[in-house]
Amino acid sequence: MRMTAEVGDYNFVLTPGVNAPENYADPVQRLAAAAERTGRDVGSLPLFMLIMAETDEEAWAKWRSYHAGADLEALGYMADEGAKDASAPEGGTAKTINLPEGAINLNMGTLVGSHETIARQLDKVTSMPGVRGVMFTFDEFEKGVHDFGQKVRPLLG
């Protein structure tokens, strides 16, 4: 974050948690503090995976199905390889993506729910001082992009 505050314009932020956009408050504030020290205007770009459906129940059923179908051997290999980086700091990407509870999607912040639920969660994120945008990944890319544009975007505050 120090380097981004010195020479960058934006910092991509990865923070674990499901339906917990408030988890991004700390890294967004840390970047803002670093940028203040340099006198530069630098913004945060939080990353989220969106698991959307018409209802919250349908979205949660999809999320549970991804966990049920996980390739445990591949996740184990990923964790073993990530653990080999002895110099990786606690809270850094190399350690975060391998946390067991969210390894199914590399522990990126995940929003699960109906289009209305997703919009409410994103409004929380975009109201944080220092957030300049949001990055998304979708469980079903084409459908997700379409549904976000048609069903979530119009609901955003």
Side-chain angles (χ1 to χ4, degrees):
M1 285 189 181
R2 182 184 52 77
M3 183 190 77
T4 300
E6 291 172 357
V7 299
D9 294 318
Y10 300 97
N11 190 60
F12 301 120
V13 182
L14 171 73
T15 300
V18 178
N19 286 4
E22 63 278 359
N23 289 355
Y24 280 92
D26 178 63
V28 167
Q29 289 169 355
R30 284 189 290 129
L31 179 63
E36 188 174 317
R37 287 190 293 276
T38 66
R40 299 187 67 250
D41 182 21
V42 181
S44 291
L45 299 172
L47 169 65
F48 288 98
M49 172 175 268
L50 303 183
I51 311 291
M52 302 179 290
E54 294 301 320
T55 68
D56 288 339
E57 293 76 20
E58 290 172 307
W60 280 105
K62 287 170 56 174
W63 181 237
R64 286 189 300 272
S65 77
Y66 300 147
H67 282 271
D71 182 338
L72 298 179
E73 186 176 335
L75 292 175
Y77 176 79
M78 181 179 76
D80 288 345
E81 290 299 305
K84 291 178 182 175
D85 185 354
S87 66
E90 290 301 322
T93 302
K95 296 237 182 199
T96 300
I97 65 173
N98 288 309
L99 295 172
E101 58 273 7
I104 190 74
N105 71 335
L106 304 177
N107 279 287
M108 71 182 73
T110 304
L111 301 179
V112 179
S114 68
H115 306 108
E116 294 81 8
T117 295
I118 299 295
R120 281 193 308 274
Q121 298 283 337
L122 289 173
D123 281 343
K124 290 178 185 177
V125 174
T126 58
S127 69
M128 292 178 192
V131 171
R132 295 295 193 301
V134 184
M135 298 182 304
F136 301 117
T137 184
F138 301 93
D139 61 327
E140 301 174 60
F141 182 75
E142 287 185 36
K143 181 175 180 5
V145 170
H146 176 270
D147 286 354
F148 181 84
Q150 297 297 312
K151 299 177 181 182
V152 176
R153 173 109 179 38
L155 301 173
L156 295 172

